[in-house]
Amino acid sequence: MFKIRKEERKGALVALLVALMLNILNIVRYAGDLSVKSGDTWSLFVRTWHLSGFDPITYAVITDWRVGYNIYRHPLLPYFMWPFTKINEGLTWLTGYNCVMFVTAVLLIFCSVYSFVFLNRIFTEIIGIKRREGYILSALTFSFAYIMLATFAPDHFIMSMCCLLATLYIFGRTSSRQQVEGRRSKVEGGSKFFTLHSSPFTFNSSLLNACLLFVVTAGVTLSNGLKVIVVAFLAKGKKFFPYYFIALLALSGMVWGSARLSYHYLVRPTEVAKKEKAAKNREAQLERLVAKYGESKRDSIKNKLEEKRTRRFHMSAVYKHTGKPIAKGEFMRWTDGTTNRWDVVVECLFGEGIMLHEDYLLKDVLVNRPVIVRYINWFNYIVEALLVSLFAAGIWIGRKSRFLWICLACFAIDMALHLGLGFGINEMAIMSAHYLWVLPIAMAYLLKHAAGIKRAILSSIITVIAIYLVIWNVVLTIEYMYFL
């Protein structure tokens, strides 16, 4: 699966060079500040490295291993990073510098190149378009702003994208083969139902592979584990029951149990210690003021301090740019029921995720950027409308393809989480690597069913859009990193 075939080498080499150049841009900009040894590495990375809503948690985890990530959202990711921590420790011992940016870059480049490879295999082997057209659509995918940024941002998104595309490729081959067998059975007068659900096991679609894919994918991002289950169910049909269902259900419990244990033993003690320290600091501040103004003023001083903290919180971007939750609770407090969905779709989902906004360029919505930012250039809205139209047309043309519906089911899960429940809706663009690849996949069906001059025109339009997005996003990214 990870062997780069002869016919794939040129495309993979180009993907490697592009990912390498983007990571070099990041390293050149920040290595001077981040390669210096520091006692408090967490504060150093958070204070120094800034790129929209991405977090430099991976740098901190690899430098000085800790859970770091939200353990409920990324239950196994800290443990996946542990080998890289040891590699970085060895390099730091040899060189005297923190080599975390270089170690992380290798991981990100690996995931970027294989995301490109798996995506191309989906285009050529499963959907069946020409390799040249697959390269065009792959270039379009990586020209999308927040997929491009994910290739060098020290976060988990390109890792998730690689896992998801690997899952779609493996199960997509099974689904595509079964659909062909079903059609053949129908033509020959046999039982379509029997043929569709009774193809023999192969190594690529085995239960073991499904389990491995689930553990890795859900371990990186828990919600994406649900996509593996949905993909397996839609690809295997009735063959999903009972073995796939039981195995994946058991693994779900194990992954979730791991998250709970990690939180209880590794995260909670730190949180409790921080809360106790904050409470002591507040108490010390209160006692200092009481000593200055007298014991009779204690209640008045205490109330004024609480009002000041509340007012400061209400003035913060975190409060202003976060909508009201749908309900209260351990996890429902992360929801958002008030942020305008239409504005998010236009300016974030199909806007910022694909084309960077010039205003508040790559600022963080939880620090210094509004949730909704609009384009200055009206031409960007034309490009956005064109992409959405091609996406919709691809869905209509490929509506009979089981594989397309598998991809759309993954897209629907993200839309339900972000637009429905409002999880992360105020910075939805940074999640683009989880779902925006579905646009080029749908467009591939449009190309596949077009012929002659229509196919050439479609291919040319997509090429022009990809070139425009590359220029637009790369120029703005360089402007932000080096000139702002």
Side-chain angles (χ1 to χ4, degrees):
M1 177 176 164
F2 289 97
K3 181 180 179 180
I4 305 294
R5 303 162 192 165
K6 185 177 180 180
E7 64 273 16
E8 296 174 330
R9 290 174 187 169
K10 290 182 180 179
L13 179 60
V14 173
L16 173 64
L17 292 174
V18 171
L20 182 62
M21 286 188 291
L22 290 171
N23 277 272
I24 287 174
L25 280 176
N26 183 49
I27 290 171
V28 170
R29 171 63 181 84
Y30 290 107
D33 298 319
L34 302 185
S35 61
V36 180
K37 290 183 178 180
S38 171
D40 187 2
T41 55
W42 182 274
S43 296
L44 172 66
F45 294 130
V46 171
R47 186 178 64 251
T48 305
W49 192 91
H50 301 286
L51 187 68
S52 189
F54 293 107
D55 297 315
I57 297 175
T58 301
Y59 287 159
V61 172
I62 291 179
T63 298
D64 181 18
W65 192 91
R66 66 191 80 192
V67 170
Y69 309 95
N70 184 307
I71 199 63
Y72 289 132
R73 298 180 188 176
H74 315 289
L76 301 179
L77 187 55
Y79 308 106
F80 293 160
M81 294 297 108
W82 184 83
F84 298 99
T85 299
K86 295 304 170 184
I87 292 171
N88 187 61
E89 286 178 1
L91 292 173
T92 302
W93 178 77
L94 285 172
T95 64
Y97 293 94
N98 185 0
C99 300
V100 66
M101 293 195 74
F102 300 93
V103 174
T104 304
V106 171
L107 174 61
L108 297 175
I109 290 170
F110 176 88
C111 292
S112 300
V113 171
Y114 275 99
S115 294
F116 181 90
V117 170
F118 294 144
L119 189 59
N120 262 287
R121 290 179 184 175
I122 287 171
F123 289 137
T124 57
E125 297 178 27
I126 297 174
I127 300 175
I129 61 175
K130 299 174 183 177
R131 187 167 299 279
R132 178 180 59 82
E133 295 169 335
Y135 285 150
I136 291 171
L137 288 172
S138 295
L140 176 68
T141 305
F142 283 87
S143 72
F144 292 164
Y146 275 71
I147 291 181
M148 182 194 74
L149 295 174
T151 63
F152 65 88
D155 215 316
H156 68 280
F157 294 103
I158 197 64
M159 305 176 209
S160 292
M161 180 174 171
C162 186
C163 293
L164 289 170
L165 291 176
T167 300
L168 289 170
Y169 171 62
I170 290 174
F171 281 101
R173 288 175 61 186
T174 303
S175 174
S176 179
R177 182 172 59 253
Q178 288 177 344
Q179 194 166 22
V180 170
E181 289 172 355
R183 288 172 182 163
R184 186 184 301 122
S185 175
K186 185 175 181 180
V187 170
E188 294 172 356
S191 170
K192 179 180 178 181
F193 177 84
F194 178 80
T195 306
L196 189 62
H197 297 293
S198 61
S199 62
F201 279 100
T202 64
F203 176 76
N204 282 335
S205 60
S206 68
L207 179 59
L208 176 60
N209 266 15
C211 293
L212 290 173
L213 283 168
F214 176 82
V215 170
V216 175
T217 306
V220 174
T221 305
L222 186 62
S223 60
N224 286 339
L226 176 60
K227 296 178 186 178
V228 177
I229 296 174
V230 170
V231 169
F233 170 69
L234 294 176
K236 304 303 292 185
K238 284 193 174 182
K239 206 171 189 178
F240 179 80
F241 299 99
Y243 302 112
Y244 283 84
F245 175 74
I246 293 172
L248 294 176
L249 186 64
L251 286 173
S252 299
M254 292 172 64
V255 171
W256 181 250
S258 169
R260 297 293 293 187
L261 288 172
S262 295
Y263 176 78
H264 182 75
Y265 289 105
L266 298 176
V267 179
R268 190 172 181 275
T270 304
E271 290 184 348
V272 170
K274 286 182 178 179
K275 288 180 180 178
E276 290 177 350
K277 183 179 179 180
K280 288 180 180 179
N281 289 337
R282 288 195 298 269
E283 187 64 27
Q285 182 185 23
L286 175 62
E287 293 302 325
R288 286 195 302 270
L289 292 173
V290 168
K292 182 177 181 180
Y293 295 105
E295 183 66 31
S296 61
K297 300 285 187 179
R298 175 179 291 273
D299 291 340
S300 175
I301 293 171
K302 187 175 182 180
N303 291 335
K304 287 182 179 180
L305 287 175
E306 289 297 328
E307 289 175 3
K308 185 177 180 180
R309 293 188 192 103
T310 302
R311 186 166 60 253
R312 185 183 298 124
F313 173 70
H314 287 171
M315 292 174 64
S316 69
V318 174
Y319 178 82
K320 290 180 178 180
H321 299 163
T322 302
K324 295 181 180 179
I326 296 172
K328 295 181 179 180
E330 185 177 5
F331 300 106
M332 290 304 290
R333 61 187 173 88
W334 294 337
T335 61
D336 184 329
T338 56
T339 299
N340 186 289
R341 267 48 177 179
W342 174 252
D343 283 342
V344 169
V345 169
V346 174
E347 304 297 347
C348 298
L349 172 59
F350 297 120
E352 179 77 1
I354 294 174
M355 292 172 288
L356 297 176
H357 286 85
E358 295 172 279
D359 285 344
Y360 299 96
L361 177 61
L362 290 172
K363 301 296 184 182
D364 191 339
V365 74
L366 298 181
V367 180
N368 52 9
R369 174 192 173 101
V371 176
I372 302 300
V373 179
R374 307 194 186 279
Y375 290 108
I376 299 173
N377 188 347
W378 57 267
F379 185 71
N380 287 325
Y381 289 108
I382 294 178
V383 173
E384 180 180 343
L386 185 56
L387 283 170
V388 173
S389 298
L390 291 171
F391 175 45
I395 293 174
W396 176 253
I397 295 296
R399 65 189 183 280
K400 294 183 180 180
S401 167
R402 178 190 292 193
F403 179 73
L404 178 58
W405 285 109
I406 290 173
C407 296
L408 290 173
C410 294
F411 180 72
I413 289 171
D414 282 309
M415 296 306 102
L417 284 172
H418 300 311
L419 293 179
L421 293 173
F423 284 107
I425 192 172
N426 57 351
E427 49 182 1
M428 188 175 177
I430 69 169
M431 270 77 76
S432 296
H434 287 170
Y435 52 78
L436 274 186
W437 37 260
V438 77
L439 273 69
I441 286 176
M443 293 176 199
Y445 286 92
L446 198 58
L447 279 174
K448 181 181 178 180
H449 289 84
I453 189 65
K454 290 182 180 179
R455 190 160 182 162
I457 291 173
L458 276 173
S459 182
S460 300
I461 291 172
I462 294 170
T463 302
V464 171
I465 293 175
I467 293 172
Y468 173 76
L469 292 179
V470 167
I471 295 172
W472 180 269
N473 292 323
V474 170
V475 168
L476 287 179
T477 300
I478 293 174
E479 178 185 340
Y480 169 79
M481 295 181 72
Y482 289 94
F483 299 102
L484 291 183

